[in-house]
Amino acid sequence: MNTEITIEEFNNLGDDTAVYDIRSEHDVQYGAIPGSVRVDIGDIRDKLENDKRKSVIYCTHGKITLDLCEELREDGYDVYSLKGGYNAWLIDRISKDDNAEICRKAEDSIKRKFRKTIWKRFTAALNEYDLVKEGDRIAVCISGGKDSMLCAKLFQELKRHNKFPFEVKFLVMDPGYSPANRKVIEENAKKLNIPIQIFESDIFDSVYNVEKSPCYLCARMRRGHLYDYARQMGCNKIALGHHYDDVIETILMSMIYGAQIQTMMPKLHSQNFEGMELIRPMYLIREDDIKAWRDYNGLHFIQCACKFTDTCTTCNNGENRSKRIEAKNLIKQLKKTNPEVEARIFKSVENVNTEAVISYKMGGKKISFLDSYDK
């Protein structure tokens, strides 16, 4: 008997079927099939023992669950692997949505329901850090996740109300995405009426055999390609979708793992591409508010389009991803006794007292307190 169940067959199943998601809790935060229950893969047998119903199990691509279900069926369990996994369900779901209505609702929610938490914080960052200037040509870089897609919609809204002339392009780099992930990006862009321009590179293939820090190299290469292609498009800036939570997590990670105090800056001049600049317009927007916007509008985005892992939003390796999760969990714990901890971490890098630090760097030079202590 076939161990796999197709999306069409899955959609026709009744309520008497149990659906289990064996992806990690981190993955599930980026979207899950409605009604499914997340279960650690090691606990799936206990679930099946306690629930004798027909069951469907899914992972990201349907590969892990295929082998798992074949083993479980040999032991007598009535289980099936969802063919293509969550990604296949996502593509099917997107293809059936009413694009015009979803786009209208998503845009309207930015102006109304999420005006205070998203729109005003977006414009506050633009003003506070002077991110957009007259005559700018900005390439909004879209990875396919919730952050970059919202960033694109915010820039579209800004263009409708711009007080001075500037231009916006929507840029997607395909470094070797799987067909499923590329399809999700293209369909979501169509659904949200974002006129993306896709260019291809072979970055994934280039770093495939790199043993030491392949993800770091991939990230550096992707950034370079984005700068280069944006400049070819006549742009002088690239906009990335990093948000407030990324900033405070980076501060903690730098201290705990890097033994240094530094943050993710709201804008940077490129060192390798003269005249190019990176900006982070969502610098003051909270991740929970981005998720709320996504869920309110029934949107489903990819978590990551990495060809090899499909699990990482920042194109870092598993070790760095674990460190970021550790930083998230640490902040969550601290918040229980200090509700203002996030704001204070953020403010800490705005209130550096150089008279009360052992040393600091300026222009690549280390300056010690001893240099001027006896003067």
Side-chain angles (χ1 to χ4, degrees):
M1 184 179 293
N2 195 348
T3 307
E4 288 185 306
I5 186 171
T6 66
I7 289 295
E8 291 76 14
E9 293 170 330
F10 177 76
N11 290 337
N12 291 323
L13 292 175
D15 295 335
D16 58 339
T17 303
V19 182
Y20 296 113
D21 183 344
I22 63 166
R23 298 175 300 154
S24 70
E25 291 182 4
H26 182 68
D27 295 344
V28 173
Q29 291 180 10
Y30 292 85
I33 297 176
S36 62
V37 177
R38 200 203 76 79
V39 181
D40 289 331
I41 192 169
D43 297 332
I44 190 65
R45 287 179 181 271
D46 290 338
K47 281 288 184 181
L48 296 176
E49 283 291 341
N50 295 324
D51 189 341
K52 300 298 185 180
R53 292 180 296 169
K54 176 180 179 179
S55 301
V56 175
I57 308 174
Y58 71 92
C59 56
T60 301
H61 302 289
K63 296 178 181 178
I64 296 174
T65 50
L66 181 58
D67 292 337
L68 174 63
C69 286
E70 287 179 351
E71 180 181 328
L72 290 170
R73 289 182 67 82
E74 288 178 359
D75 294 338
Y77 294 103
D78 187 16
V79 296
Y80 297 85
S81 169
L82 181 61
K83 188 173 183 178
Y86 175 73
N87 278 5
W89 175 87
L90 182 56
I91 292 173
D92 180 70
R93 169 67 180 267
I94 291 173
S95 67
K96 294 177 179 177
D97 287 335
D98 183 339
N99 289 358
E101 175 58 23
I102 286 178
C103 184
R104 183 204 63 75
K105 182 182 177 184
E107 293 175 349
D108 185 68
S109 67
I110 290 173
K111 294 179 289 185
R112 299 180 185 276
K113 183 174 179 61
F114 298 98
R115 181 176 183 82
K116 182 178 179 180
T117 56
I118 291 180
W119 176 250
K120 286 192 173 182
R121 291 182 183 178
F122 171 72
T123 56
L126 298 185
N127 294 326
E128 184 170 345
Y129 303 115
D130 197 21
L131 299 183
V132 178
K133 300 179 181 179
E134 183 173 349
D136 276 345
R137 292 173 61 91
I138 302 167
V140 178
C141 300
I142 298 174
S143 65
K146 66 185 191 312
D147 307 327
S148 61
M149 285 292 189
L150 175 57
C151 189
K153 294 308 296 180
L154 290 170
F155 266 104
Q156 285 184 323
E157 186 64 23
L158 186 68
K159 277 294 294 178
R160 297 188 182 100
H161 306 284
N162 60 305
K163 299 178 181 179
F164 51 80
F166 69 94
E167 295 184 38
V168 180
K169 304 289 185 180
F170 302 100
L171 180 59
V172 175
M173 181 183 66
D174 182 348
Y177 291 158
S178 67
N181 276 327
R182 175 153 172 168
K183 178 72 172 176
V184 171
I185 295 172
E186 291 172 338
E187 290 298 322
N188 272 323
K190 186 187 302 181
K191 180 195 308 293
L192 293 171
N193 194 28
I194 301 172
I196 59 174
Q197 185 168 338
I198 301 178
F199 77 98
E200 299 177 353
S201 71
D202 60 354
I203 292 176
F204 283 169
D205 289 337
S206 298
V207 302
Y208 185 77
N209 293 315
V210 176
E211 294 184 4
K212 187 176 181 179
S213 301
C215 297
Y216 172 77
L217 177 61
C218 176
R220 289 290 301 271
M221 291 178 67
R222 289 199 303 158
R223 183 73 56 82
H225 277 67
L226 288 170
Y227 272 128
D228 186 52
Y229 198 85
R231 188 166 60 179
Q232 291 180 40
M233 295 169 64
C235 296
N236 65 307
K237 293 181 178 179
I238 62 172
L240 303 183
H242 296 115
H243 48 69
Y244 186 96
D245 295 74
D246 290 325
V247 177
I248 59 176
E249 290 159 14
T250 298
I251 295 170
L252 276 185
M253 291 169 66
S254 296
M255 294 174 63
I256 297 171
Y257 302 111
Q260 57 186 332
I261 298 175
Q262 65 178 32
T263 188
M264 181 181 284
M265 297 297 288
K267 63 180 181 180
L268 291 168
H269 288 294
S270 172
Q271 296 180 347
N272 300 315
F273 295 85
E274 186 177 353
M276 294 295 294
E277 193 174 356
L278 179 155
I279 62 173
R280 294 184 169 104
M282 296 172 65
Y283 203 78
L284 301 179
I285 300 177
R286 298 304 308 267
E287 184 175 24
D288 282 346
D289 294 320
I290 299 172
K291 291 178 180 178
W293 173 80
R294 175 199 65 191
D295 297 342
Y296 175 80
N297 292 291
L299 299 169
H300 298 272
F301 302 114
I302 60 171
Q303 178 186 345
C304 174
C306 176
K307 179 179 180 180
F308 312 115
T309 64
D310 286 312
T311 56
C312 173
T313 57
T314 55
C315 200
N316 289 326
N317 57 26
E319 180 182 0
N320 286 340
R321 185 168 65 255
S322 296
K323 289 176 180 177
R324 186 165 291 276
I325 293 174
E326 286 178 11
K328 282 181 181 290
N329 291 335
L330 176 58
I331 293 170
K332 187 182 299 184
Q333 288 298 316
L334 292 172
K335 194 174 180 180
K336 291 179 180 179
T337 54
N338 183 359
E340 301 299 321
V341 67
E342 293 150 313
R344 290 175 180 174
I345 293 172
F346 186 91
K347 283 292 184 181
S348 69
V349 291
E350 294 183 349
N351 297 316
V352 178
N353 183 355
T354 57
E355 295 179 352
V357 295
I358 302 300
S359 64
Y360 61 95
K361 291 182 179 179
M362 179 67 71
K365 180 182 178 182
K366 183 177 181 179
I367 301 173
S368 170
F369 83 103
L370 292 173
D371 296 340
S372 58
Y373 182 76
D374 291 324
K375 294 180 182 179

